[in-house]
Amino acid sequence: MPALSSRSQVAAFMAMDVLREANALEAKGRRVFHLETGQPGTPAPRAALEAVRAALDRDPLGYTEALGRVPLKEAIARHYGDAYGLNIDPARVVVTTGSSSGFILSFLAVFDAGQKLVMGLPGYPAYRNTASALNLEPLLVPAGPQTGFRLPLDTLAAIEGAHGMLIASPGNPTGTILPPEDLAAIANLSDKKGWHLISDEIYHGLSYEQPAKTILSYAPDAIVVNSFSKFYSMTGWRIGWLIVPQTMVRTIERLAQNLFISPPAISQVAATAALSAQAQSELNGHVEVYRRNRDVLAAALKHGGVARTAPATGAFYIYADVSLHCRDSAELAPLLLAETGIAATPGWDFDPQNGGSWLRLSYAGAATEVAAAAEILAPWLARRSPR
Ligand SMILES: Cc1ncc(COP(=O)(O)O)c(C=O)c1O
């Protein structure tokens, strides 16, 4: 067989590999605690499910416009007024097949092959791997414990030859929210450098102290990537959105027409209803469950001898330093799964430089599951802790 492309040689998404192994174990009858992926334990909001049931009988659910249905784009634009006090023209909203296709569309729209894209480490693996598959060069800037899991502005300022920058707040795997002054400084720096600024805001709505700010309040021409997967509890519906500058809309539309034709119609029906006031109050209730889950899991890690975690102020992950418990989290995670049924993701997924010291645990699941996992996790870790 002829050789496969070199750009397809991207790293696996380890969290998804762990999910496959955990599912296989579960299929054999083993009790498994799914702390490996950011999968909410709740279904889509009731209003979304009702809207879908009604649509099945009366809506042909065929192709939609490539940029999405107008009522959904209008509802997303209104959300920017309600959540951030911003006036966004619905014409700047692009409905996508999950945020994952939003990254492909935005990378293709603004970068040529070979160009450099700055991003922080640790970070969501698909940023690097999608960029590499599109022949872009990820420029990885350490933003770990040394900088309080914030991007070091002096390092960013010294970068030459990049074409854009990708930020995420709250971040994955850290769950850390960047303070407004960092967003303002990044916007300012990016403007001075002439970079395209892309902000992944998929964990907005999931914050436990201050609500996260959108980069659009500081950089009106930034590209925002967002999704119904996390706060809206709709991962499998594969529906997300972009906010792009007016001047970029037609470019994105041409790409979207050719690459995806349209986002799924049924998911657009669900997403429109998920933005209703009724759904919002249901979804806000989930945030309180996540907060309690976070506290339970953080206490278990502490009892287990974990001395350091990233500030878990948003999203639904704890990024824990397990260097006292193992030589390498890639060895610890399979052992943890085999001995306790707890699935978690080695830090290598998020950080190809220092990932061996870290483990990411998701607390997005049901409170009973997270509590049961925490009870098993604390003594298991404590047995491995030297203290
Ligand atoms: C930071 C971040 N961005 C994007 C995604 C992809 O989400 P979607 O389901 O919208 O494609 C994820 C999924 O876990 C994520 O954690």
Side-chain angles (χ1 to χ4, degrees):
M1 176 165 147
L4 301 182
S5 69
S6 55
R7 65 172 163 193
S8 66
Q9 303 308 305
V10 295
F13 189 169
M14 287 173 97
M16 299 307 288
D17 282 352
V18 178
L19 173 68
R20 186 180 8 80
E21 281 158 33
N23 283 346
L25 212 59
E26 215 166 19
K28 285 188 201 147
R30 183 78 193 277
R31 176 151 193 212
V32 168
F33 303 92
H34 287 282
L35 273 53
E36 76 279 39
T37 56
Q39 172 59 56
T42 44
R46 274 189 297 280
L49 297 176
E50 278 161 22
V52 163
R53 279 187 202 104
L56 289 174
D57 290 332
R58 61 172 159 69
D59 187 330
L61 298 168
Y63 290 137
T64 71
E65 289 174 33
L67 296 181
R69 288 181 166 184
V70 171
L72 175 55
K73 295 202 295 179
E74 287 173 347
I76 292 171
R78 271 197 306 278
H79 167 71
Y80 280 80
D82 298 342
Y84 312 106
L86 290 180
N87 187 8
I88 297 290
D89 183 346
R92 292 175 56 200
V93 177
V94 176
V95 181
T96 58
T97 306
S99 72
S100 303
S101 74
F103 288 110
I104 296 173
L105 288 171
S106 45
F107 289 0
L108 286 173
V110 302
F111 302 120
D112 278 315
Q115 291 187 334
K116 293 191 177 82
L117 171 59
V118 178
M119 56 186 81
L121 270 191
Y124 179 59
Y127 300 151
R128 311 189 299 276
N129 299 336
T130 305
S132 302
L134 296 176
N135 287 129
L136 309 179
E137 193 183 320
L139 224 160
L140 306 174
V141 174
Q146 295 78 2
T147 62
F149 295 91
R150 291 160 69 176
L151 284 156
L153 297 169
D154 46 348
T155 310
L156 297 180
I159 291 174
E160 299 290 344
H163 284 82
M165 172 161 182
L166 175 58
I167 60 168
S169 171
N172 174 7
T174 59
T176 304
I177 294 181
L178 293 177
E181 62 269 26
D182 284 19
L183 294 181
I186 287 167
N188 187 23
L189 182 90
S190 185
D191 186 44
K192 279 204 193 113
K193 297 262 187 194
W195 289 347
H196 288 288
L197 183 55
I198 302 173
S199 176
D200 182 354
E201 302 187 352
I202 184 172
Y203 291 105
H204 276 218
L206 300 174
S207 46
Y208 308 107
E209 287 167 18
Q210 297 302 317
K213 305 265 188 207
T214 174
I215 195 66
L216 293 173
S217 299
Y218 307 93
D221 281 341
I223 297 174
V224 164
V225 183
N226 210 322
S227 170
F228 288 90
S229 286
K230 306 297 178 173
F231 173 73
Y232 299 90
S233 209
M234 291 171 57
T235 52
W237 297 77
R238 310 307 307 130
I239 190 90
W241 75 88
L242 298 170
I243 306 293
V244 301
Q246 197 76 57
T247 50
M248 208 185 282
V249 172
R250 180 61 182 153
T251 302
I252 295 267
E253 184 173 33
R254 285 188 283 98
L255 287 165
Q257 289 168 340
N258 285 287
L259 293 178
F260 305 111
I261 303 192
S262 74
I266 191 74
S267 304
Q268 294 187 59
V269 171
T272 309
L275 287 165
S276 65
Q278 184 197 346
Q280 292 289 308
S281 67
E282 180 182 336
L283 294 167
N284 286 333
H286 298 338
V287 180
E288 288 317 305
V289 175
Y290 298 141
R291 181 199 300 278
R292 287 195 293 275
N293 286 353
R294 175 193 68 161
D295 295 346
V296 165
L297 191 58
L301 290 166
K302 203 165 170 212
H303 285 135
V306 168
R308 190 162 67 157
T309 62
T313 47
F316 34 45
Y317 307 105
I318 298 187
Y319 197 50
D321 181 349
V322 287
S323 56
L324 295 177
H325 300 80
C326 63
R327 274 179 315 166
D328 187 336
S329 59
E331 291 168 9
L332 189 78
L335 204 65
L336 179 65
L337 179 61
E339 292 188 3
T340 68
I342 298 172
T345 305
W348 290 119
D349 218 9
F350 314 100
D351 184 347
Q353 292 167 9
N354 299 305
S357 297
W358 298 84
L359 193 68
R360 188 197 71 173
L361 300 112
S362 162
Y363 54 84
T368 47
E369 288 295 292
V370 174
E375 209 164 298
I376 298 168
L377 182 65
W380 190 86
L381 281 176
R383 280 200 297 280
R384 269 153 195 84
S385 170
R387 285 178 290 157

